[in-house]
Amino acid sequence: MKRVMEINDEVMRAIKSTDENEINKKLHVIVNETNKAATKAKTSIHMLKKENVRLEKEGLVRSSDLRIRENLYNATLNKFVDVTKKCKEAEEQYKINLKKKVSRNIRILIPDASDNDIDMIIKS
């Protein structure tokens, strides 16, 4: 997430489109790595839950230990959800900032461009 914010700053300072393209490539690599790590974490968290259910069914752990395991599972799940939300927010902020930058550049080139004109140029 910190790296996405750094890349966000880099893209806002980039002057050349080639620099922006390089920065976008960096972001895609980071997003792909993050998605892989998130999938692994999600699988591990799911396995913790399954293990807790199994231990409870089979009566292999004391109830106090099971509560501790469930509390750890819930804390881990909540942290995972929070981090995931923050990553998505950082990615979304990157997209918003990039769109603002492109809009500014278009307004420099075409001062009387409407918002609709700018949106159509960005989409094309």
Side-chain angles (χ1 to χ4, degrees):
M1 182 175 56
K2 180 182 175 184
R3 186 68 185 123
V4 173
M5 288 188 264
E6 290 170 358
I7 288 176
N8 190 13
D9 290 340
E10 284 180 42
V11 81
M12 294 307 289
R13 289 189 308 265
I15 296 172
K16 300 178 194 171
S17 62
T18 54
D19 293 341
E20 287 179 6
N21 290 338
E22 287 299 316
I23 294 166
N24 280 328
K25 287 177 186 176
K26 286 183 197 177
L27 178 66
H28 286 294
V29 168
I30 291 169
V31 168
N32 288 338
E33 289 172 357
T34 302
N35 288 340
K36 287 177 187 175
T39 300
K40 278 180 148 178
K42 187 176 179 181
T43 301
S44 296
I45 291 169
H46 181 68
M47 295 299 287
L48 285 173
K49 180 66 173 175
K50 284 176 71 172
E51 181 71 7
N52 286 349
V53 169
R54 185 185 69 77
L55 290 172
E56 183 179 23
K57 279 184 182 178
E58 295 176 6
L60 297 175
V61 67
R62 295 183 309 208
S63 62
S64 60
D65 290 338
L66 186 60
R67 276 194 308 276
I68 290 169
R69 290 180 63 93
E70 287 173 353
N71 287 340
L72 288 171
Y73 163 78
N74 288 328
T76 304
L77 180 62
N78 288 336
K79 183 67 174 178
F80 175 75
V81 169
D82 289 344
V83 169
T84 302
K85 284 180 184 177
K86 287 179 183 177
C87 286
K88 294 293 180 193
E89 288 170 4
E91 287 178 48
E92 197 59 37
Q93 190 61 48
Y94 171 83
K95 290 177 186 176
I96 289 168
N97 287 345
L98 187 58
K99 185 176 179 181
K100 285 179 184 178
K101 181 179 179 180
V102 170
S103 295
R104 278 194 310 270
N105 290 342
I106 292 169
R107 289 204 189 275
I108 290 169
L109 294 173
I110 310 168
D112 59 340
S114 69
D115 289 339
N116 288 338
D117 294 336
I118 291 172
D119 287 340
M120 288 182 64
I121 292 169
I122 290 173
K123 288 180 185 178
S124 61

